[in-house]
Amino acid sequence: MPVKYRRCLKAMLFSALLLVALFNLWSPSSSLGVDIRPRQGSPIQKLLSGKIQQIMSDYSDINYKVKEKVACQLAQNACVCQAEEETFRLPFSDLVFPRVWALNLQHAFLGMHPDPESVKHHRAEEYDLFLRRSYSPADMLIIAEANNPLQFPTQGVDVQPLKTIVIPGLSLRQEGRNNYMVQLTATLGTFDIAATVDKVSVKGMGEKNISLSSPVLSALNRQLQFVTYTNTMFHPKTTDLVQFGTEGHQSFFTIKVGHRVVPKLYNSGQSKGYNITSLVTIATKTFLRYDKLKDLIDSIRQFYPTVTIIIADDNEHPQPVTSPHIEQYIMPFGKGWFAGRNLAVSQVATKYVLWVDDDFFFTANTKLEKMVDILEKTTLDLVGGAVREVTGYTATYRHTISVEKGGEEGDCLHMRNGHHHVIEGYPNCVVADAVINFFMAQTDKVRQVGFDPRLSRQAHLEFFIDALGTLHIGSCSDVIINHASKISLPWTKTEKQKAYEQFRYSSTSTDNTIHNEVFYFKNRLKCMTSH
Amino acid sequence: MPVKYRRCLKAMLFSALLLVALFNLWSPSSSLGVDIRPRQGSPIQKLLSGKIQQIMSDYSDINYKVKEKVACQLAQNACVCQAEEETFRLPFSDLVFPRVWALNLQHAFLGMHPDPESVKHHRAEEYDLFLRRSYSPADMLIIAEANNPLQFPTQGVDVQPLKTIVIPGLSLRQEGRNNYMVQLTATLGTFDIAATVDKVSVKGMGEKNISLSSPVLSALNRQLQFVTYTNTMFHPKTTDLVQFGTEGHQSFFTIKVGHRVVPKLYNSGQSKGYNITSLVTIATKTFLRYDKLKDLIDSIRQFYPTVTIIIADDNEHPQPVTSPHIEQYIMPFGKGWFAGRNLAVSQVATKYVLWVDDDFFFTANTKLEKMVDILEKTTLDLVGGAVREVTGYTATYRHTISVEKGGEEGDCLHMRNGHHHVIEGYPNCVVADAVINFFMAQTDKVRQVGFDPRLSRQAHLEFFIDALGTLHIGSCSDVIINHASKISLPWTKTEKQKAYEQFRYSSTSTDNTIHNEVFYFKNRLKCMTSH
C-alpha cells in the first residue's frame, strides 16, 4: 500500500480509537442534576399528611374521663428546670437522702456570654439544619386505613442504590367489577415489570408512575407479583415514599434505599477460651503520674503479659515508656483528658478496648475474661466494672439518663444513680446508661460515639450523654480493679502529687464555660438535673 | 426526760433514719432480670412470619412471560468473581479502555493461610454474631392485609425507653354487630388507657395484652384514641412488634423504642460569610518529608493564617514543628498511614475537617469556602476536591462502589471510575462513593467511619468501603490543591526522598496479607473488581 495511504489509515484508526476512548471515559452516569438540599417534603409526603388528617376521625362529641395515673406519664414537651425541694434537714441528710440538684444551662452559659441573643439564634439555626439533614420519610407517621381493598408491605422493603427489586405483597382484593385498576407512584425511583401476564394492561413501565389494569382480578394480582422498583436517584441511605392506590383508596409505604452494610469483623484467631491479647487492647491517658503508670503496667503484666497497652501522654516533659507491647503517643502539652482518650481509642486494632485510668492497678479480681464473655454473649456494647479504693469501698458509679423534650429552649437531661434491670444469666451485672471509668467496650462502637476533644479537664458523663441511643451499656460488680491510694496527709504529698492536683482540680472559669457550652450548645440542653 | 430514755430515743431515731436511707439507696428499678442475648424471635414475630406465608397468595396456575431486560437486573445472591475478558489488544489499550480486573480474595487470603478452614469457620461465626446483634424487628417484612376492618399506624410511632405514649390512629371500622372487640399484644411494653369512656370494657390495663370491647362502635373508637403504650424492658435502641387484632383479622406494626437523639451542634460563632478558622481544622500525617510539610504549612498560612493544623507524625526521629495554631502528635515509629489519619481526626474540635497529604500545597485555587458552602447547604457529609500535578494534570479520583450479595462465601465489591449524578446548583460537583485524598468532611461523620489503624502503608479506598451507607459523598473539581512534584531523575533524588520511597513503596508480603485480611475477613468479601 502506498505510504500516504498507510499514514492516512493509521490516522483514521487513531482518531477512531480516540473517539471511542473519549466516549468510554465520559462517565456513563446520569447527566441529570440531582437536588441534594435537605428535602422539604415531596408531593407524595404532602398528600400523605393530608390523608392522615382525614383518617383521624373526630369523636369529640363523646365524653371521656382522664385517668390521671396514666395521663401524667405522657410527655408534655415542656420540661421544667427544677431541683427537688428540701423536705427536711438533718445531719448527714445529704448522704442518706441525696437530693436532686438542677443546673439551668441557659442562665449558666448565656448569663456569662457577651452576646446571648446571637448564640441562641446560632444554636437554633444549627439545630434546624441538623433536623433537616437527618429527616427521613421513614420517620413519618403513616396510618393504614381500614377496609382498604389493597394489600401492600408496610415495612421491610429495601433496595441498594440504583438497583432493582421486586416489591413483595402487592395485591387488590375486590369483587364484582368490570375492570380492576391500581397505580403506584414514587419519587426516587421507577417501576417496571419483571414478567408479563396476559389480559393485563400496563402503562408507565420504567417511569415514576405505573398503572396496571385488567378485567380479570387474578390476572392483575399475578401481574402485581412481578412489579419491580428501581432506585434512580442515588443516595447512600434514604427512604422513598410510595403511593399505592386504586379508585377510592390510597395507601402509602416506604422503601429503604441504601448501600448494603459492609461489616467490620475482627479476626482474633481460633482458640479455646478467650485470647485476651488478640481480643483486647488496654487504653489509658497519663499526666504527671509516671510512677502510678508504672505500677499499673507492672500489675497488668502479672496477669496479661502480652496484651497491648496504648498510652496517650500530654506531659510537658514526656518520659519514654518503652516496653514490649506498649505504644506511647506524645500529645501537645496539656491538650487534655478527653482528647487523650479519643486519641488512645483511635489507635486500637482489636475487637475490644479496655479503658483504665493511669492510677488503677490490676489484681487477681481483675478478670478481663468475664467482661469479654458478657460482651460476646449479649447485645451489650460496653460493660463497666468496679473500682476499689484502698479503704475497701468499691464503686460502680451506675447512672440512668433520660432526656425530656423541652421545646425551643432545649431539652432537659436527668441523671440518677442506679440502673434499669439485672441481666439474666449474669446476677452481678445490670443494664444502665452510664458507668464508672473502668470499662471494656466494642472498639468500633466507642469510636462511633467518641470523646469530645474540647473537654480538657474533668469530664466523664459527657461521653455517656453522647452515647445515648448508640451504646447498650452494662455494669458488672464482680470485675474489680484497684485504685491507687488518694489518702495522703498534706505534709507527705510529693511535689509531683501537688503539681498534679494543682493542675487537675483547679478548674478555671474557662473550663466551666466549655462544659456549659458543650451542654447548652452542642447537646442543645436547657437544663440538667442530677443527684 | 431521763438520760437512758433520750439515748433510747436517739437510737430508735437513728435506726429509723438508717432503714429509710437504705430503702432509698436500694435502686428503685425493676429487679426482674432482662434477657439481653441477641433475640431469636418473639412469639409475635413467629406469628407474623406464619401470617405472611398465608397472605402471599399462590397464583402459580397463571402463566407469565419473563421480561429479560428487567428480570436480569434483579439480585441473584450469587456474585461471581470475574474480570472482564480482553476483547482486543492494541498499544495503549489499557489506557483508553481500562479493563476491569478481579481479585478473588478467597484465593488471595486463604491461599496464603496456614489454616484456611478454621479462618473460614471463625469468619462465619463472627458474621453470624454480627447479624444476630444487629437484627431488629424493624427490618422484618410486614404486609398489611386487604379488607381489614382495623386501622392502625404502620410507621412513625416511637417511644423513649421506659416512657409512655398514646398510640395514634387505632380504630375499628365494622358494622352490624352486637359487640365490637379488639386486642393489642406487645413484648417489650404494656398497654393502658389515658382516659376512660363510658360503655367500654377494658381488660388487661398495665399488661402486655389488653382487650377493649363495647356494644357501641363509636365509644370503642373513642376509647381507642386513649390507648397508651409504656416501654417496660429498657433498651437504648430497639423495636417492639405489636399485634393488633379483632375477630378474624390480625395486624402487626412496630413501635421504635430508643433514647431521644442528643445532637452534636458546633458553635462556630456568628459572622457574615464562613469563618474558616472556627469551622475547619486541617489534618495531615507526615513521614520523612519535613521539607514538604513546611512548604504545605507556609502555603496554608498565606491564605488561612489562623486555621488550626493537626499533624500526626510517626518519624523515627521526630522534629518539633512549633508554630502558632499547629498541634503535633508523636506516634510510635512507623505506626502507619491510617493509624496516623485516625489519630489526626480524633483531635479535631471544629465542625469540619480538611484532609491533606503532607506533600500538597495551597494556591489561590484552594478555596475552602467553596467546600464549606456545599457541606452547609446540601446533605453531603464529605466533599473531595481536585489535586493538580506539576504537569497540570488534575485528578479527582471519583469512584462508584457497589456491593453485590454473594452468599456464604462473602459478597462481591465492585469499584468503577466515575460518579452518579451532577449536583444541582453546583455544576462542578458530583455525587460519588469515593474521592481523592483531598477532602473536607463533617468531623463527627468521619470519626463514625474511622480509618482502620491496621493499614500501615498504602491504603485509600478502604476508608470509602467502610463509609458505605454512612457518608453522603461528593466531589467538586473547582477546588484545587497542588501536589509537590514527584518528577525527579534518579540521580537528583535526595537521600530523604530515596528513604521515603524505599519505605513507602516496598510493600512487603505482610502488607498484602493485611490488606487481603481486611477485605476477606473484616469486610466479609469474596471478590473485588475494579478498573
Side-chain angles (χ1 to χ4, degrees):
Chain A
M1 200 185 286
V3 173
K4 60 177 181 182
Y5 281 131
R6 269 189 298 194
R7 279 190 193 147
C8 211
L9 198 64
K10 278 185 190 165
M12 281 172 64
L13 194 63
F14 183 73
S15 314
L17 269 177
L18 202 63
L19 273 168
V20 177
L22 283 168
F23 181 81
N24 217 38
L25 284 169
W26 172 69
S27 187
S29 64
S30 166
S31 51
L32 287 172
V34 61
D35 180 359
I36 56 170
R37 286 168 304 163
R39 273 194 287 162
Q40 300 305 321
S42 64
I44 301 181
Q45 286 174 31
K46 293 183 168 70
L47 188 67
L48 171 58
S49 302
K51 198 106 188 73
I52 290 189
Q53 304 280 0
Q54 285 181 354
I55 284 175
M56 306 279 259
S57 296
D58 185 23
Y59 293 100
S60 51
D61 55 316
I62 300 180
N63 285 331
Y64 60 88
K65 193 172 151 201
V66 171
K67 192 175 164 187
E68 274 305 332
K69 195 182 87 164
V70 178
C72 69
Q73 289 168 21
L74 295 167
Q76 300 298 333
N77 271 23
C79 64
V80 173
C81 205
Q82 231 172 25
E84 269 178 11
E85 279 180 17
E86 224 178 324
T87 38
F88 57 87
R89 195 151 187 69
L90 284 177
F92 306 117
S93 66
D94 274 356
L95 281 176
V96 296
F97 303 113
R99 267 188 311 131
V100 170
W101 54 262
L103 172 62
N104 186 316
L105 287 155
Q106 279 201 272
H107 297 166
F109 181 65
L110 294 182
M112 309 293 276
H113 203 276
D115 190 1
E117 278 313 306
S118 48
V119 175
K120 274 173 85 167
H121 179 70
H122 184 34
R123 186 184 83 164
E125 278 184 331
E126 289 294 308
Y127 186 57
D128 181 62
L129 201 63
F130 161 79
L131 286 179
R132 289 190 295 124
R133 288 178 66 94
S134 49
Y135 167 78
S136 164
D139 303 325
M140 282 186 80
L141 177 64
I142 299 181
I143 295 177
E145 59 172 350
N147 302 318
N148 186 345
L150 295 164
Q151 175 189 289
F152 57 97
T154 57
Q155 70 168 46
V157 186
D158 38 41
V159 66
Q160 286 179 262
L162 307 179
K163 294 202 180 174
T164 302
I165 50 157
V166 169
I167 304 177
L170 296 174
S171 197
L172 177 66
R173 304 289 159 92
Q174 263 178 342
E175 280 175 4
R177 296 188 175 218
N178 293 334
N179 198 43
Y180 301 94
M181 191 279 293
V182 296
Q183 280 198 64
L184 286 140
T185 314
T187 310
L188 305 178
T190 57
F191 299 97
D192 210 319
I193 47 174
T196 51
V197 173
D198 278 343
K199 300 185 201 143
V200 182
S201 160
V202 184
K203 290 199 184 85
M205 287 178 275
E207 291 178 29
K208 289 183 179 177
N209 188 312
I210 193 173
S211 61
L212 306 93
S213 61
S214 174
V216 184
L217 183 63
S218 55
L220 178 63
N221 281 331
R222 182 57 153 156
Q223 181 66 80
L224 283 173
Q225 287 180 340
F226 299 117
V227 170
T228 63
Y229 169 88
T230 302
N231 165 243
T232 52
M233 188 164 297
F234 172 87
H235 196 289
K237 189 174 179 178
T238 189
T239 308
D240 199 359
L241 183 62
V242 176
Q243 186 185 353
F244 178 42
T246 188
E247 195 188 321
H249 297 276
Q250 296 298 330
S251 310
F252 300 85
F253 64 93
T254 48
I255 296 181
K256 284 196 213 155
V257 177
H259 272 300
R260 184 164 160 71
V261 169
V262 178
K264 284 185 183 176
L265 309 176
Y266 282 84
N267 183 6
S268 52
Q270 293 72 248
S271 57
K272 295 263 168 255
Y274 298 124
N275 180 338
I276 295 298
T277 301
S278 315
L279 284 164
V280 186
T281 301
I282 300 180
T284 192
K285 182 189 167 299
T286 194
F287 182 74
L288 285 183
R289 301 201 289 200
Y290 282 113
D291 51 341
K292 295 202 157 67
L293 177 67
K294 183 182 184 308
D295 291 341
L296 167 65
I297 295 170
D298 290 346
S299 71
I300 293 172
R301 290 297 174 233
Q302 267 197 285
F303 304 98
Y304 303 103
T306 55
V307 75
T308 301
I309 305 172
I310 288 178
I311 303 166
D313 185 335
D314 66 342
N315 278 290
E316 189 168 14
H317 305 293
Q319 295 171 21
V321 182
T322 47
S323 309
H325 312 293
I326 289 188
E327 296 176 16
Q328 183 184 17
Y329 295 79
I330 310 301
M331 308 170 70
F333 166 48
K335 173 73 177 169
W337 176 218
F338 265 33
R341 299 186 82 180
N342 220 27
L343 188 156
V345 303
S346 79
Q347 301 302 297
V348 174
T350 51
K351 187 175 183 182
Y352 299 113
V353 56
L354 179 83
W355 183 269
V356 296
D357 284 354
D358 63 348
D359 62 345
F360 289 169
F361 60 95
F362 276 45
T363 69
N365 290 321
T366 320
K367 292 244 177 294
L368 302 187
E369 291 78 359
K370 286 188 182 181
M371 287 173 147
V372 171
D373 186 65
I374 198 172
L375 290 171
E376 287 275 299
K377 295 198 174 131
T378 67
T379 53
L380 288 185
D381 299 308
L382 182 150
V383 64
V387 176
R388 172 174 285 153
E389 303 296 334
V390 76
T391 52
Y393 172 72
T394 305
T396 52
Y397 205 62
R398 297 160 176 176
H399 282 73
T400 61
I401 305 177
S402 76
V403 181
E404 199 188 339
K405 272 185 82 170
E408 270 184 24
E409 294 185 334
D411 297 336
C412 294
L413 188 113
H414 305 293
M415 293 182 287
R416 298 289 184 270
N417 296 336
H419 60 271
H420 295 294
H421 308 287
V422 175
I423 299 173
E424 227 175 82
Y426 297 87
N428 296 308
C429 304
V430 299
V431 177
D433 291 302
V435 297
I436 202 161
N437 227 23
F438 166 52
F439 59 77
M440 186 182 291
Q442 298 247 353
T443 306
D444 292 316
K445 300 286 289 211
V446 164
R447 290 203 278 239
Q448 235 186 286
V449 175
F451 298 89
D452 189 333
R454 289 170 291 174
L455 295 164
S456 49
R457 300 290 179 83
Q458 303 174 57
H460 178 69
L461 287 165
E462 289 81 348
F463 169 72
F464 295 100
I465 292 170
D466 284 344
L468 288 176
T470 302
L471 298 186
H472 194 190
I473 293 172
S475 167
C476 295
S477 57
D478 60 342
V479 184
I480 306 169
I481 199 165
N482 283 32
H483 196 185
S485 172
K486 275 188 160 155
I487 299 172
S488 50
L489 303 160
W491 54 86
T492 63
K493 283 187 193 172
T494 62
E495 283 312 307
K496 280 189 189 161
Q497 218 163 336
K498 289 180 192 169
Y500 178 83
E501 287 170 14
Q502 165 84 10
F503 204 94
R504 176 154 171 202
Y505 297 115
S506 61
S507 59
T508 62
S509 65
T510 319
D511 299 323
N512 280 338
T513 308
I514 287 175
H515 276 260
N516 291 338
E517 178 174 351
V518 162
F519 294 136
Y520 175 80
F521 201 106
K522 167 178 147 183
N523 295 140
R524 201 180 159 269
L525 299 172
K526 159 168 103 172
C527 172
M528 293 173 68
T529 72
S530 173
H531 282 140
Chain B
M1 199 187 290
V3 172
K4 60 178 183 182
Y5 281 132
R6 271 192 296 198
R7 278 188 194 150
C8 210
L9 198 62
K10 277 186 192 164
M12 280 171 62
L13 193 63
F14 183 73
S15 313
L17 270 176
L18 204 63
L19 274 169
V20 177
L22 283 169
F23 180 81
N24 216 40
L25 284 170
W26 171 71
S27 185
S29 64
S30 165
S31 50
L32 287 173
V34 61
D35 179 0
I36 55 170
R37 284 168 304 161
R39 273 194 287 162
Q40 299 305 324
S42 65
I44 301 182
Q45 286 173 30
K46 293 183 170 66
L47 188 67
L48 170 59
S49 302
K51 197 104 188 76
I52 291 191
Q53 303 279 2
Q54 285 181 356
I55 284 174
M56 307 279 258
S57 296
D58 184 23
Y59 292 100
S60 53
D61 55 316
I62 300 181
N63 285 331
Y64 61 87
K65 192 170 151 207
V66 172
K67 191 177 164 186
E68 274 304 331
K69 195 183 85 165
V70 178
C72 69
Q73 291 169 20
L74 295 168
Q76 299 298 334
N77 271 24
C79 64
V80 174
C81 205
Q82 232 173 23
E84 268 177 12
E85 281 181 16
E86 221 179 326
T87 39
F88 57 88
R89 194 151 189 67
L90 283 176
F92 307 116
S93 67
D94 273 356
L95 280 174
V96 294
F97 303 113
R99 267 188 312 130
V100 170
W101 55 261
L103 172 62
N104 186 316
L105 288 156
Q106 281 201 271
H107 297 167
F109 180 64
L110 294 181
M112 310 292 277
H113 203 278
D115 189 2
E117 279 313 305
S118 49
V119 174
K120 275 174 83 168
H121 178 71
H122 185 33
R123 186 184 83 164
E125 277 184 332
E126 289 294 307
Y127 187 58
D128 181 61
L129 201 63
F130 162 78
L131 286 179
R132 288 190 295 125
R133 287 178 68 96
S134 48
Y135 167 79
S136 163
D139 303 324
M140 282 186 80
L141 177 64
I142 299 182
I143 295 176
E145 58 172 349
N147 302 316
N148 186 346
L150 296 165
Q151 174 189 290
F152 58 98
T154 56
Q155 70 168 46
V157 186
D158 38 41
V159 66
Q160 286 179 262
L162 307 179
K163 295 203 178 173
T164 302
I165 50 157
V166 169
I167 304 176
L170 296 174
S171 197
L172 176 67
R173 304 290 158 92
Q174 264 179 340
E175 279 173 6
R177 295 187 178 219
N178 291 332
N179 198 43
Y180 301 93
M181 190 279 291
V182 296
Q183 280 199 66
L184 287 140
T185 314
T187 310
L188 305 178
T190 56
F191 300 97
D192 210 318
I193 47 175
T196 51
V197 173
D198 279 344
K199 300 186 202 145
V200 181
S201 160
V202 184
K203 289 199 184 84
M205 287 177 276
E207 292 178 28
K208 290 183 178 177
N209 187 310
I210 193 173
S211 60
L212 308 94
S213 61
S214 173
V216 183
L217 184 63
S218 55
L220 178 63
N221 282 332
R222 182 56 155 159
Q223 180 67 78
L224 282 173
Q225 287 178 341
F226 299 117
V227 170
T228 63
Y229 170 88
T230 302
N231 164 245
T232 51
M233 189 164 298
F234 172 88
H235 196 289
K237 190 174 179 177
T238 189
T239 308
D240 199 359
L241 184 61
V242 176
Q243 185 183 351
F244 179 42
T246 188
E247 195 188 319
H249 297 276
Q250 296 297 329
S251 310
F252 299 85
F253 63 93
T254 48
I255 295 181
K256 283 194 212 153
V257 177
H259 272 300
R260 183 163 162 73
V261 168
V262 179
K264 283 185 182 176
L265 309 176
Y266 281 83
N267 182 7
S268 53
Q270 293 73 247
S271 57
K272 293 266 168 250
Y274 298 124
N275 179 339
I276 296 299
T277 300
S278 315
L279 283 163
V280 186
T281 300
I282 300 180
T284 193
K285 182 188 168 300
T286 194
F287 181 74
L288 285 183
R289 301 201 290 199
Y290 282 113
D291 51 340
K292 295 203 158 66
L293 178 67
K294 182 181 184 309
D295 291 340
L296 167 65
I297 295 170
D298 291 346
S299 71
I300 293 171
R301 290 296 175 234
Q302 267 196 285
F303 304 98
Y304 302 103
T306 53
V307 76
T308 300
I309 305 172
I310 288 178
I311 303 165
D313 185 333
D314 66 342
N315 279 291
E316 189 169 13
H317 304 293
Q319 295 171 22
V321 182
T322 47
S323 309
H325 313 294
I326 290 189
E327 295 176 16
Q328 183 184 18
Y329 295 78
I330 310 301
M331 307 169 69
F333 167 47
K335 172 74 176 167
W337 175 218
F338 265 31
R341 299 186 82 180
N342 220 25
L343 189 155
V345 304
S346 78
Q347 301 303 296
V348 174
T350 51
K351 188 174 183 182
Y352 299 113
V353 56
L354 179 84
W355 182 270
V356 295
D357 284 353
D358 63 348
D359 62 343
F360 289 169
F361 60 95
F362 277 45
T363 69
N365 290 321
T366 320
K367 292 245 178 296
L368 303 187
E369 292 79 358
K370 287 188 181 181
M371 286 173 147
V372 171
D373 186 65
I374 198 172
L375 290 171
E376 287 276 298
K377 297 200 172 127
T378 67
T379 53
L380 289 184
D381 298 309
L382 182 149
V383 64
V387 176
R388 173 174 283 151
E389 303 296 335
V390 76
T391 54
Y393 172 72
T394 305
T396 51
Y397 205 62
R398 295 161 178 177
H399 281 73
T400 60
I401 305 177
S402 77
V403 181
E404 199 187 339
K405 273 185 79 168
E408 270 184 20
E409 294 185 334
D411 297 336
C412 294
L413 188 112
H414 305 292
M415 292 183 287
R416 300 288 183 271
N417 296 336
H419 61 271
H420 296 294
H421 309 286
V422 174
I423 299 173
E424 225 174 84
Y426 297 87
N428 296 307
C429 304
V430 298
V431 178
D433 291 301
V435 297
I436 203 160
N437 227 22
F438 166 52
F439 59 77
M440 185 181 294
Q442 297 247 353
T443 305
D444 292 317
K445 299 285 290 209
V446 163
R447 290 204 277 241
Q448 235 186 288
V449 175
F451 299 89
D452 189 333
R454 287 171 291 176
L455 296 165
S456 49
R457 298 292 180 81
Q458 302 174 60
H460 178 69
L461 287 165
E462 289 80 349
F463 169 72
F464 295 99
I465 292 170
D466 284 344
L468 289 175
T470 302
L471 298 186
H472 193 191
I473 293 171
S475 168
C476 296
S477 58
D478 59 342
V479 183
I480 306 169
I481 200 165
N482 283 34
H483 196 185
S485 172
K486 276 189 158 153
I487 299 173
S488 48
L489 304 160
W491 52 86
T492 63
K493 282 187 195 170
T494 62
E495 284 311 308
K496 280 188 187 158
Q497 217 161 338
K498 289 181 194 168
Y500 177 83
E501 287 170 13
Q502 164 85 9
F503 203 94
R504 173 152 174 204
Y505 297 114
S506 61
S507 59
T508 63
S509 66
T510 318
D511 299 322
N512 280 337
T513 308
I514 287 175
H515 276 260
N516 290 338
E517 179 174 349
V518 162
F519 294 136
Y520 175 80
F521 201 106
K522 167 179 147 182
N523 295 140
R524 200 179 160 269
L525 299 172
K526 159 168 103 171
C527 173
M528 293 173 68
T529 73
S530 173
H531 282 140

